[in-house]
């Protein structure tokens, strides 16, 4: 191997290693902090890793706040909102791509118009609207406003436009209804798109903070992120408990992310570049 | 004939959830926002009246103008940091060094774990004296800073965390963009004697222009809507130094209950993102015509 190639590889590995360290270090800092005493955390001369890791800190953090309830709320919100986005996007995308009906063009523009209105701009009127509906501090208030997905409708439409028309024609000649053509012939083809989109939408819903913040203000209806921020305001200076609570929130998502990394990477690309 | 009406019914049933929910939860609130931004009185005022642009003047004078400035500085820094880091790391991952391509996965982690949790970690790392950043500063013989309580450093801290949290997305997108450059074009350039730098400048960069534009749009919109980082780390402080436009909307709307100012800033945010999206459509159209 020529020396210049060795040098080039060394530079690439060093830079990549440094970048991975920058990504990973805060998480290691969190684990170390979660296992320290507070005295160890605030002592600048103390070693980065505790001499006697205190695993009991995690149990103590768990007992200080209703993490189980917050996990349950986040799961209900995440699963229901994602399922709604996928299903409504699949149906609308299919209709806009494969069926002909009066008003198709304006309805398509309307379906995509949601993409032009960032949720963050309308937080005040949307919370007033949900208040008028009596939906504040409810699951439907969390879930229903998130179901329409312009992105989902758009991506599924793109996908179905690329599928062969002949498949449907053949099924129709065999006497299949339009609903059956969709359910038995076309919908199963969309499985890979649905998988990539599902994981990305799920993580977005799971980590959504601003929306639950304006819809929910009770402890028992809070999602995990909200609960965590309340936890922090109650235990401001008990840094080890705060780090333990962050750990409780991060580890499960980390496991999902490692298991589904291929779908996540696909989903990110699908959402932004297509 | 019968079949046709059946198809229509099916189609309307299929598009109904998306169309109706978009109308109810995007377009109706948008109309409410635009209308109410022109009306006087806070949430406790029972007789709203038309006041023209008063809310906008009030918003700009009472911290809103400053918040828009902070948002501009933050977004510019955010776009620069995350796009440069994303491109450089994607080029490294894409180099023909064995094993490099497999290192892509770690960069996704900050993007997918809860922002509140990582913000708490970074808050701890920026803490005075015992935080990691201050430990590193003293180790390097530099003066320490109380990051989250002094205006300039607080913005730097929030920006550092924001960039750390998001840059992985641009790594992933630039890797995909680099993959879209046809292998044979690159090989042809190599045969003509082009090294990695010239291949990048004359082949990859021009061929990725469309991707760069899309990445810029997504990144800018994300930067404009920064909220959770600020909420957890600084609550907009100290002294408004990290108060971004969206944090201003939240603070006026849900903490100070001055919905007039909140709505005026909401409209500003809406118009800004519309402007970004319109720029994208315009530039994409121009690129397509040039082809």
């Amino acid at each position: 191997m020529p020396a210049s190639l060795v040098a080039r590889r060394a530079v690439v590995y060093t830079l990549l290693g440094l970048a991975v360290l920058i990504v990973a270090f805060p998480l290691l800092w969190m684990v170390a902090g979660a296992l320290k005493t507070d005295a160890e955390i605030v002592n600048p001369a103390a070693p980065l890793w505790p001499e006697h890791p205190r695993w009991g800190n995690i149990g103590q953090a768990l007992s200080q706040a209703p993490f189980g309830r917050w996990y349950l709320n986040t799961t209900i919100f995440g699963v229901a909102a994602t399922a709604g986005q996928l299903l409504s996007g699949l149906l609308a995308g299919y209709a806009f791509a494969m069926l002909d009906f009066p008003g198709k063009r304006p309805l398509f523009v309307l379906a995509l118009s949601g993409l032009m209105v960032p949720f963050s701009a309308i937080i005040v009127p949307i919370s007033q609207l949900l208040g008028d509906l009596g939906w504040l501090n409810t699951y439907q208030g969390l879930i229903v406003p998130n179901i329409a997905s312009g992105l989902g409708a758009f991506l599924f439409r793109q996908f179905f436009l690329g599928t062969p028309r002949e498949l449907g024609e053949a099924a129709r000649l065999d006497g299949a209804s339009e609903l059956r053509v969709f359910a038995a012939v076309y919908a199963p083809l969309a499985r890979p798109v649905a998988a990539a989109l599902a994981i990305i939408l799920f993580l977005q819903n799971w980590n959504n903070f601003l929306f639950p913040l304006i819809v929910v203000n009770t402890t028992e209806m809070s999602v995990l992120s909200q609960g965590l921020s309340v936890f922090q305001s109650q235990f401001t200076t008990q840094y080890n408990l705060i780090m333990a609570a962050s750990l409780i929130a991060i580890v499960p998502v980390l496991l999902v992310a490692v298991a589904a990394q291929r779908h996540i990477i696909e989903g990110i690309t699908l959402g932004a570049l297509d | 004939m019968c079949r046709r009406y059946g198809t229509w019914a099916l189609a309307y049933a299929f598009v109904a959830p998306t169309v109706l929910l978009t109308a109810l939860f995007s377009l109706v609130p948008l109309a409410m926002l635009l209308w109410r931004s022109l009306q006087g009185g806070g949430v406790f005022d029972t007789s709203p009246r038309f006041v023209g642009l008063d809310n906008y003047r009030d918003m700009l004078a009472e911290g809103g103008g400053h918040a828009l400035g902070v948002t501009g500085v933050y977004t510019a820094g955010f776009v620069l940091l995350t796009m440069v880091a994303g491109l450089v790391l994607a080029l490294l991952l894409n180099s023909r060094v064995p094993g490099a391509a497999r290192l892509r996965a770690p960069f996704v982690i900050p993007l997918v774990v809860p922002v509140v949790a990582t913000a708490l970690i970074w808050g701890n790392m920026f803490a005075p004296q015992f935080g990691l950043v201050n430990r590193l500063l003293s180790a390097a013989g530099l003066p320490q800073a109380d990051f989250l309580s002094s205006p300039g450093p607080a913005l730097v801290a929030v920006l550092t965390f924001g960039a750390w949290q998001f840059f992985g997305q641009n790594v992933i997108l630039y890797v995909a963009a680099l993959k879209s450059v046809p292998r044979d074009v690159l090989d042809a350039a190599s045969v003509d004697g082009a090294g990695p730098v010239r291949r990048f400048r004359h082949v990859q960069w021009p061929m990725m222009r469309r991707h760069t534009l899309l990445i810029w749009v997504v990144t800018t919109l994300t930067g404009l809507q920064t909220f959770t980082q600020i909420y957890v780390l600084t609550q907009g402080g100290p002294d408004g130094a990290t108060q971004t436009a969206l944090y201003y909307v939240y603070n006026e709307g849900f903490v100070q209950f001055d919905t007039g100012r909140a709505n005026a800033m909401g409209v500003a945010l809406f118009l800004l993102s519309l402007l970004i999206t319109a720029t994208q459509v315009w530039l994409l159209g121009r690129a397509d015509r040039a082809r």
Side-chain angles (χ1 to χ4, degrees):
Chain A
M1 209 189 290
S4 71
L5 190 62
V6 173
R8 172 138 30 111
R9 283 188 182 181
V11 170
V12 171
Y13 285 133
T14 309
L15 290 175
L16 279 176
L18 197 66
V20 172
L21 185 71
I22 290 174
V23 165
F25 197 85
L27 301 177
L28 299 173
W29 179 267
M30 167 191 76
V31 178
L35 302 177
K36 286 178 183 175
T37 64
D38 260 331
E40 282 175 301
I41 291 186
V42 299
N43 175 9
L48 288 176
W49 190 259
E51 276 168 52
H52 307 287
R54 294 158 57 96
W55 295 96
N57 287 348
I58 296 167
Q60 205 194 334
L62 277 171
S63 70
Q64 297 289 338
F67 282 98
R69 177 74 202 209
W70 293 339
Y71 259 108
L72 176 72
N73 291 340
T74 318
T75 308
I76 292 173
F77 169 54
V79 170
T82 308
Q85 289 162 339
L86 275 182
L87 189 63
S88 68
L90 176 71
L91 296 176
Y94 179 79
F96 286 128
M98 310 296 272
L99 302 175
D100 281 314
F101 53 98
K104 182 164 150 177
R105 190 82 212 154
L107 286 174
F108 183 58
V109 171
L110 209 157
L112 291 195
S113 67
L115 291 173
M116 306 290 275
V117 185
F119 163 72
S120 51
I122 54 173
I123 52 175
V124 173
I126 217 168
S127 85
Q128 286 164 342
L129 191 66
L130 291 174
D132 292 343
L133 291 169
W135 281 12
L136 295 177
N137 287 309
T138 64
Y139 286 119
Q140 66 268 32
L142 280 172
I143 296 162
V144 178
N146 282 295
I147 285 179
S149 168
L151 179 69
F154 179 76
L155 289 177
F156 278 117
R157 175 178 173 268
Q158 295 291 93
F159 172 78
F160 285 121
L161 284 176
T163 56
R165 293 251 159 187
E166 294 77 26
L167 293 176
E169 292 307 328
R172 278 183 202 103
L173 286 179
D174 287 345
S177 68
E178 281 301 323
L179 185 62
R180 217 182 134 64
V181 170
F182 163 73
V185 179
Y186 284 105
L189 295 178
R191 219 172 271 150
V193 185
L197 195 59
I199 184 80
I200 275 305
L201 292 172
F202 179 75
L203 288 168
Q204 262 170 24
N205 291 322
W206 183 273
N207 293 333
N208 195 340
F209 179 69
L210 180 57
F211 188 75
L213 187 68
I214 64 155
V215 178
V216 164
N217 61 13
T218 61
T219 308
E220 75 262 27
M221 280 306 295
S222 287
V223 297
L224 190 59
S225 288
Q226 263 177 303
L228 198 56
S229 100
V230 172
F231 188 95
Q232 188 251 351
S233 60
Q234 282 170 353
F235 297 93
T236 16
T237 54
Q238 282 171 274
Y239 301 109
N240 54 356
L241 288 190
I242 293 174
M243 289 300 101
S246 304
L247 184 106
I248 293 164
I250 283 181
V251 169
V253 185
L254 201 60
L255 296 178
V256 172
V258 170
Q261 44 164 296
R262 209 169 43 85
H263 288 300
I264 294 177
I265 290 173
E266 223 171 280
I268 293 172
T269 321
L270 197 65
L273 293 185
D274 285 309
Chain B
M1 196 63 208
C2 192
R3 172 129 200 163
R4 186 159 72 145
Y5 287 129
T7 306
W8 288 2
L10 188 76
Y12 289 128
F14 274 19
V15 301
T18 301
V19 167
L20 294 178
L21 289 172
T22 300
L24 183 57
F25 292 110
S26 285
L27 301 184
V28 167
L30 179 66
M32 286 165 75
L33 177 80
L34 295 171
W35 175 239
R36 290 187 182 170
S37 75
L38 303 172
Q39 297 197 311
V43 267
F44 303 114
D45 197 331
T46 47
S47 57
R49 67 213 134 64
F50 187 82
V51 294
L53 295 177
D54 278 5
N55 286 324
Y56 291 86
R57 273 188 282 271
D58 187 38
M59 176 273 280
L60 286 173
E62 299 298 323
H66 183 250
L68 285 168
V70 171
T71 308
V73 172
Y74 179 90
T75 306
F78 182 77
V79 168
L80 191 72
L81 284 173
T82 61
M83 284 186 73
V84 170
L87 178 59
V88 169
L89 286 165
L91 284 168
L92 293 173
L93 291 171
N94 195 53
S95 63
R96 283 173 227 184
V97 171
R102 244 174 295 150
L103 272 176
R104 187 165 61 141
F107 297 105
V108 179
I109 294 169
L111 201 60
V112 298
V113 296
V115 183
V116 175
T118 48
L120 292 177
I121 302 172
W122 278 84
N124 196 269
M125 295 202 304
F126 278 119
Q129 282 135 36
F130 65 85
L132 172 77
V133 181
N134 275 319
R135 284 199 201 190
L136 289 175
L137 285 175
S138 9
L142 296 167
Q144 297 203 340
D146 189 352
F147 277 95
L148 300 176
S149 331
S150 19
L155 192 58
V156 171
V158 169
L159 186 55
T160 307
F161 168 56
W164 176 84
Q165 194 269 333
F166 186 78
F167 84 100
Q169 171 149 337
N170 289 346
V171 175
I172 301 298
L173 295 181
Y174 264 125
V175 168
L178 285 167
K179 283 216 177 87
S180 74
V181 177
R183 189 88 257 174
D184 48 340
V185 179
L186 275 180
D187 289 341
S190 298
V191 170
D192 290 344
V197 175
R198 283 186 47 207
R199 276 205 304 268
F200 174 71
R201 265 195 58 197
H202 297 293
V203 182
Q204 289 166 315
W205 180 247
M207 290 190 87
M208 293 194 303
R209 203 171 287 156
R210 188 187 164 88
H211 295 98
T212 297
L213 176 62
L214 292 174
I215 293 170
W216 173 76
V217 170
V218 175
T219 309
T220 308
L221 290 178
T222 307
L224 271 184
Q225 296 178 44
T226 298
F227 178 77
T228 313
Q229 289 85 337
I230 314 278
Y231 182 93
V232 178
L233 285 178
T234 61
Q235 307 259 308
D239 214 15
T242 57
Q243 170 128 299
T244 54
L246 179 52
Y247 196 84
Y248 184 89
V249 176
Y250 169 78
N251 191 45
E252 293 296 336
F254 295 90
V255 182
Q256 313 290 339
F257 296 110
D258 192 319
T259 46
R261 284 181 200 161
N263 286 335
M265 186 60 104
V267 174
L269 256 182
F270 167 65
L271 292 178
L272 277 174
S273 27
L274 205 61
L275 186 73
I276 309 283
T277 316
T279 313
Q280 171 195 5
V281 172
W282 176 66
L283 285 173
L284 279 181
R286 218 177 55 159
D288 287 343
R289 269 198 307 280
R291 219 183 269 162

